[in-house]
């Protein structure tokens, strides 16, 4: 017997597709370039929170930032 998939409402903000298409994520997200990309992503898109390993690396480097994306409502 086949059932229709259950769809849960997403808690993620809408994706900023224009930003994503013009900003490819780096290969290593905890590199300098990766950390910058993720912080910019949080500001310009914010479709998801920072990954745990990125948060940990920022903390290890003594970088603390509070980012509120204008796209989150």
């Amino acid at each position: 017997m086949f059932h229709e998939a259950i769809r849960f409402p997403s808690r993620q903000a809408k994706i900023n597709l224009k930003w994503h298409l013009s900003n490819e994520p780096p290969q290593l997200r905890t590199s300098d370039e990766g950390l910058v990309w993720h912080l910019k992503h949080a500001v310009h898109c914010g479709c998801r929170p920072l990954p745990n390993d990125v948060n940990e690396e920022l903390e290890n480097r003594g970088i603390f930032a509070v980012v509120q994306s204008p796209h989150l409502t």
Side-chain angles (χ1 to χ4, degrees):
M1 178 178 260
F2 293 97
H3 297 280
E4 185 175 342
I6 298 172
R7 299 187 187 275
F8 297 97
S10 174
R11 291 185 181 182
Q12 295 177 341
K14 291 182 181 178
I15 190 169
N16 181 343
L17 187 58
K18 181 179 177 182
W19 190 88
H20 271 273
L21 292 175
S22 62
N23 294 276
E24 286 190 40
Q27 293 292 333
L28 182 61
R29 62 187 185 189
T30 56
S31 66
D32 290 347
E33 182 183 78
L35 296 176
V36 169
W37 185 92
H38 279 282
L39 289 171
K40 287 182 177 181
H41 176 256
V43 171
H44 295 287
C45 184
C47 63
R48 64 190 58 160
L50 292 173
N52 288 336
D53 59 341
V54 171
N55 276 324
E56 289 172 9
E57 184 63 24
L58 289 170
E59 187 175 329
N60 289 341
R61 294 181 184 210
I63 300 170
F64 299 93
V66 176
V67 178
Q68 177 62 51
S69 172
H71 304 284
L72 299 176
T73 55

